[in-house]
Amino acid sequence: MEQRSFASASGLRPTSAFVVVAIVILAVAGRVAHLAFARSAPPPDREVFEVGLVPAYEVADAGGRTLATFVPRFDLVMSPRSMWQAHTPVRMAQRISEVLGGEPTALELIDAMIPDATAGVIEVKAWELTPRQAQRLGEWMESGAGSGTHPLAGIWIRPLARHGQGAERFRLFWQPELLLSPEEREAHGYESAWSWSRHLAHGIERCRRRPGLGDPTSAKEWDARRAEVWAALIPRAHCRPVRGIPSAIAIDVRDLLREEGVSPWQMKLAYDRDRHYPCGEHELFGSWGFVDPAQTEARPREGLELLGDRLLEGAEWSFLGHAPDTYVWRRDRSVRGRRGDRANAYLGLTRASAAPIVHSTIDLALQRFVRRELQAVMTEHRPALAMAIVLDLESGDVLAVDSVEEYEIQPFAPVYHTFTPGSTMKVVTMATALEEGLVRPDDEFEVGDGSYHLVDPATGRGRVIHEAEGSLTGRNTAAMFFARSVNACFAQIGVRIPAEVFRRYLVALGYGSPPGAGLGIERAGYLRGLPWAYRFTHASVGFGHEMTTTLWQHAAALSTVVRGGVWRPLRLLRAVEQDGARHEIPLADGRRVYRPETCAEVRAMMVLGATEGTGRHLARPDIAMGTKTGTAQKVGTELCVHVELAARERADREGVPMTAARLRSLKAQPKPHGNCYTSSMCVFGRRLDEEREILVLVVADEPRSREKFGSRVAGPAAAAILVEALGLTRDGEPPVVEVVDGFGPSPSPLRNGSLVPWREEER
């Protein structure tokens, strides 16, 4: 059989031809695939990423109720400098006002959109013109910016008078609303705002140039010169003329800007947010705002807001998601819309991380109850201010903390206002003396009959210590004098403790140093340095005088003793949650100050105070309770808090600084209510069927009612708050016990005897 050979037109053998064809097909397919991929995945330089705001945290109470959160809003933001080179102020203000329904008005918008102007006029403060520059500018204005028609309207020069020198310099003034108006530019032969603004900047720059200096030689250099002129004419680079545009209207505003050909760098809708407090605003919750002129956005200033913000900035929380919303667009260079805008195509959205939730230790219902009790104290006893704090004793968690003030001018009072602790300080004095083995609860002391003469053994000089009316007298045990709060006994106990030892314990408990609560401005209180005078500071500190403290410091120290001797910073934040995952904040490491045995003895004395001492009228049979009252009469040289705070309020209103000299001068003023007292009450307790203990400290500084004793002024409020915190009352009333789920006994004695009371009775 004859074999025939085939030749290809290319001169190649068939197998080779097939290979070439395959290569060509693959090459074409590769090109098609490349083009297809190019269409589906544009190069990076054609992708536009719009990044939103980083998710902001929320603050919640212990029960998960939102205390603070962000609510989104739309604002109209702009660059006046860029905007008015290309657009007309009056026209844009009128159109935007129409879209916004007339609020704000066009006139109000013009003022907001030209923030550098005063009554519509901008003084160009960047330049001081020489007589020659002023002459050239004046001639240029008279010539109609070179048009030869009529002088420019809305721009002029004034002499800048100088003391002793006359008018050697001049300053430029202008009115954007008039100079940039359509009527003015058209009168000089210009149709577009952009060409008119460039012409004005060009002319001003040439007039300002010094003789002998040539004009710029390139378009790029001219652009830079014109930019400098506009930076002087309109110094403000950014402003926010409209804040809080409803979302429904925001779409119309966006369409208007697109229709007017406004570029985003000139004016745009910006997404922003407002801090919102669903449960009502409160000083403890804090606030957002600007505390530094250099700030470009609002930040937390105080309260839980500031504390939460600082917490999340810590490195230990870096694992939390912080990604903002990110939109991806494709810039299509082949398609151009009206005015030459490039058409964009939406590609996708990357959702932001879930907003973290900072869980506080605050019980919102208890917080509200505490405020009502403090307001009742203010109404009945009229102090300068009343404060209270409620602690979970073991953890140091702050369940509620608040203050009510007659003069609301100072920062958060529980960490800022300092007071003389008085007899509540005897808890610390007794614990220190017991710890050092210098006294026993059954040691007996002689306190005299309402007054005691304390003598310094080194000098032989004495001091008389007076007692409150009705105080325990004669000879008795240290425990009973503690329960009945006798100053003379604790002056004797205090001086038994070496001054350097006593002060070391006070420092370990936090006295004399800012507490570091993180809520904002706070004070350290006053703790005198060594040496201490035996008759005065040494003896007085023993019963809570010649020192001051804040509510926060004092509560931390008292809870140390009642807890069992371990000092622990008070805690306001408990956990952080994000996207359903909860991360507990560990308790801070405590430090032991007293032995448990020492604290057990002090606790027993406080229980004695609640059964037989100054707190006996507050005891309840259903609570295992301990108390320590405090009534500190201030010495004559101490400044009356009512006088001080009233003066501060007046100075704040008048804008006058409250200097140290002004404060000293206030001491000479008479006290409007006689003697000044600080009334306080510390109470701790637990339900008989539970182990959890609560501590409450209430302070009323300078009550003006007939009552002054801590047990009568602060005591009822402290006891009521303790009962509420233990759940024995709800909003001050005994809770209704449910018989079955959802049903409870009625307080009404009336009874419906019908077997089917829900049916209407047949007649």
Side-chain angles (χ1 to χ4, degrees):
M1 182 175 174
E2 183 181 4
Q3 293 187 352
R4 301 164 59 180
S5 63
F6 296 89
S8 69
S10 64
L12 298 176
R13 296 182 60 183
T15 303
S16 302
F18 294 148
V19 171
V20 171
V21 171
I23 292 174
V24 172
I25 292 173
L26 289 174
V28 172
R31 176 61 177 167
V32 171
H34 172 76
L35 292 175
F37 179 77
R39 291 191 184 96
S40 62
D45 66 331
R46 294 177 64 183
E47 290 183 355
V48 180
F49 293 86
E50 291 187 10
V51 180
L53 298 174
V54 174
Y57 63 91
E58 297 181 358
V59 179
D61 83 334
R65 286 164 289 200
T66 300
L67 302 179
T69 187
F70 275 110
V71 175
R73 72 169 197 270
F74 288 103
D75 293 347
L76 191 65
V77 298
M78 65 176 288
S79 168
R81 189 184 305 163
S82 298
M83 182 72 178
W84 301 136
Q85 292 184 62
H87 299 276
T88 307
V90 173
R91 173 184 170 83
M92 291 303 304
Q94 288 174 341
R95 294 218 59 190
I96 293 171
S97 180
E98 290 172 3
V99 172
L100 296 176
E103 291 291 338
T105 65
L107 291 177
E108 291 170 337
L109 266 176
I110 289 177
D111 289 340
M113 294 161 69
I114 310 178
D116 295 300
T118 302
V121 176
I122 297 177
E123 179 182 359
V124 183
K125 297 180 180 179
W127 304 326
E128 288 189 5
L129 305 172
T130 65
R132 176 59 179 157
Q133 290 173 322
Q135 180 184 0
R136 295 180 66 182
L137 274 169
E139 292 172 352
W140 174 75
M141 295 174 195
E142 284 294 321
S143 71
S147 66
T149 54
H150 63 80
L152 291 178
I155 185 168
W156 60 94
I157 296 172
R158 288 179 183 168
L160 186 64
R162 293 189 172 187
H163 181 69
Q165 299 181 8
E168 297 180 347
R169 291 291 184 269
F170 299 81
R171 187 157 280 168
L172 186 66
F173 292 78
W174 74 297
Q175 189 175 358
E177 182 181 349
L178 180 55
L179 183 60
L180 302 180
S181 66
E183 295 79 11
E184 184 66 13
R185 72 167 182 257
E186 290 169 5
H188 295 284
Y190 287 86
E191 294 185 0
S192 76
W194 176 247
S195 59
W196 178 233
S197 66
R198 285 171 61 86
H199 179 72
L200 292 175
H202 186 98
I204 293 173
E205 172 60 20
R206 294 195 67 180
C207 293
R208 284 186 59 251
R209 293 186 65 75
R210 294 179 181 178
L213 293 178
D215 289 339
T217 57
S218 67
K220 184 176 181 180
E221 188 176 352
W222 262 119
D223 286 341
R225 299 284 183 170
R226 282 189 287 262
E228 290 178 8
V229 170
W230 274 102
L233 293 177
I234 302 182
R236 193 79 62 90
H238 299 284
C239 69
R240 192 179 300 261
V242 183
R243 186 180 185 277
I245 298 175
S247 56
I249 299 178
I251 299 174
D252 297 332
V253 174
R254 183 195 62 189
D255 292 343
L256 169 64
L257 298 180
R258 183 183 296 116
E259 180 184 338
E260 289 288 336
V262 178
S263 300
W265 59 85
Q266 296 169 344
M267 177 181 282
K268 66 179 180 178
L269 277 174
Y271 173 84
D272 211 322
R273 52 201 180 187
D274 285 320
R275 202 60 170 168
H276 181 61
Y277 301 91
C279 298
E281 295 188 18
H282 192 284
E283 193 174 5
L284 172 64
F285 301 164
S287 63
W288 285 61
F290 296 87
V291 295
D292 185 341
Q295 283 183 245
T296 58
E297 61 178 295
R299 297 283 297 175
R301 295 184 295 194
E302 57 196 354
L304 290 174
E305 298 276 31
L306 180 61
L307 192 61
D309 192 63
R310 289 175 174 173
L311 172 77
L312 295 180
E313 285 180 348
E316 64 270 29
W317 299 101
S318 60
F319 66 89
L320 295 175
H322 298 286
D325 279 332
T326 303
Y327 296 85
V328 185
W329 303 82
R330 182 184 65 198
R331 182 185 293 118
D332 191 342
R333 293 178 175 172
S334 63
V335 180
R336 291 182 178 270
R338 191 163 62 93
R339 300 181 184 271
D341 295 335
R342 295 188 177 96
N344 293 330
Y346 170 74
L347 293 180
L349 164 67
T350 302
R351 286 291 182 189
S353 305
I357 302 173
V358 178
H359 290 273
S360 71
T361 61
I362 294 297
D363 182 327
L364 182 60
L366 182 61
Q367 180 78 17
R368 289 171 173 166
F369 182 81
V370 167
R371 167 149 289 236
R372 285 195 292 272
E373 286 296 315
L374 293 178
Q375 288 171 335
V377 171
M378 294 291 294
T379 300
E380 183 176 357
H381 300 288
R382 298 178 295 124
L385 75 164
M387 306 178 287
I389 189 167
V390 188
L391 306 179
D392 178 280
L393 194 54
E394 179 58 32
S395 64
D397 285 354
V398 179
L399 308 181
V401 57
D402 203 357
S403 67
V404 179
E405 306 157 43
E406 183 172 338
Y407 317 92
E408 296 185 1
I409 59 167
Q410 58 184 354
F412 192 45
V415 295
Y416 184 82
H417 180 77
T418 58
F419 62 94
T420 304
S423 294
T424 52
M425 195 67 190
K426 293 170 183 173
V427 171
V428 173
T429 302
M430 180 60 79
T432 303
L434 289 170
E435 185 75 9
E436 291 295 311
L438 300 172
V439 72
R440 299 300 309 157
D442 55 358
D443 286 352
E444 292 189 350
F445 290 83
E446 174 60 49
V447 298
D449 189 15
S451 62
Y452 177 79
H453 193 68
L454 179 71
V455 179
D456 184 347
T459 64
R461 294 180 178 179
R463 170 193 175 188
V464 177
I465 297 173
H466 297 281
E467 299 297 339
E469 187 177 321
S471 178
L472 187 64
T473 61
R475 191 171 189 83
N476 216 313
T477 64
M480 185 54 69
F481 282 134
F482 178 96
R484 297 292 293 272
S485 200
V486 178
N487 290 341
C489 174
F490 278 82
Q492 297 175 63
I493 293 175
V495 295
R496 287 188 182 184
I497 309 169
E500 62 277 9
V501 174
F502 203 167
R503 194 177 190 281
R504 186 174 69 245
Y505 276 94
L506 296 179
V507 170
L509 291 170
Y511 294 108
S513 300
L519 297 173
I521 302 174
E522 57 187 38
R523 282 177 169 171
Y526 173 71
L527 180 61
R528 184 183 290 275
L530 298 172
W532 286 355
Y534 181 92
R535 292 179 297 147
F536 298 106
T537 301
H538 200 167
S540 295
V541 169
F543 54 92
H545 283 247
E546 289 203 38
M547 65 176 294
T548 62
T549 182
T550 62
L551 183 79
W552 195 274
Q553 289 171 306
H554 201 35
L558 295 175
S559 63
T560 299
V561 179
V562 182
R563 179 184 297 121
V566 175
W567 184 90
R568 182 173 288 125
L570 306 186
R571 187 173 73 157
L572 271 168
L573 302 181
R574 176 178 292 169
V576 176
E577 179 183 343
Q578 187 177 44
D579 205 17
R582 183 180 172 104
H583 311 277
E584 297 294 328
I585 300 172
L587 285 174
D589 294 334
R591 62 171 180 266
R592 181 159 293 283
V593 180
Y594 302 109
R595 293 176 294 112
E597 297 80 7
T598 295
C599 297
E601 291 179 322
V602 178
R603 283 173 59 98
M605 295 183 209
M606 294 181 74
V607 172
L608 184 64
T611 55
E612 301 182 38
T614 53
R616 59 190 179 277
H617 68 284
L618 301 174
R620 287 177 51 127
D622 54 349
I623 299 177
M625 180 188 295
T627 64
K628 186 69 203 76
T629 57
T631 308
Q633 182 177 355
K634 301 183 181 181
V635 299
T637 56
E638 286 187 81
L639 179 58
C640 172
V641 175
H642 281 281
V643 172
E644 178 191 352
L645 295 186
R648 287 185 181 275
E649 186 177 61
R650 185 168 56 253
D652 185 67
R653 185 171 58 249
E654 297 172 355
V656 178
M658 181 54 69
T659 62
R662 287 179 182 273
L663 283 175
R664 285 193 299 270
S665 68
L666 296 176
K667 291 185 178 181
Q669 294 188 15
K671 296 178 174 59
H673 46 277
N675 293 325
C676 296
Y677 292 85
T678 300
S679 304
S680 58
M681 180 73 173
C682 175
V683 56
F684 74 90
R686 63 175 177 84
R687 294 171 61 149
L688 299 181
D689 57 346
E690 293 183 356
E691 293 300 318
R692 183 194 190 207
E693 287 188 313
I694 301 294
L695 182 140
V696 179
L697 177 61
V698 176
V699 175
D701 209 351
E702 295 190 10
R704 290 177 290 175
S705 64
R706 294 180 60 183
E707 298 287 358
K708 57 183 180 292
F709 294 118
S711 61
R712 299 293 181 182
V713 177
I721 292 169
L722 176 65
V723 171
E724 183 80 10
L726 291 174
L728 294 171
T729 58
R730 294 178 184 171
D731 202 21
E733 299 295 332
V736 175
V737 180
E738 293 185 347
V739 179
V740 295
D741 291 344
F743 293 89
S746 170
S748 172
L750 301 178
R751 180 175 180 273
N752 188 329
S754 172
L755 295 177
V756 284
W758 55 88
R759 292 183 182 175
E760 185 177 356
E761 184 179 354
E762 296 181 2
R763 295 184 181 273

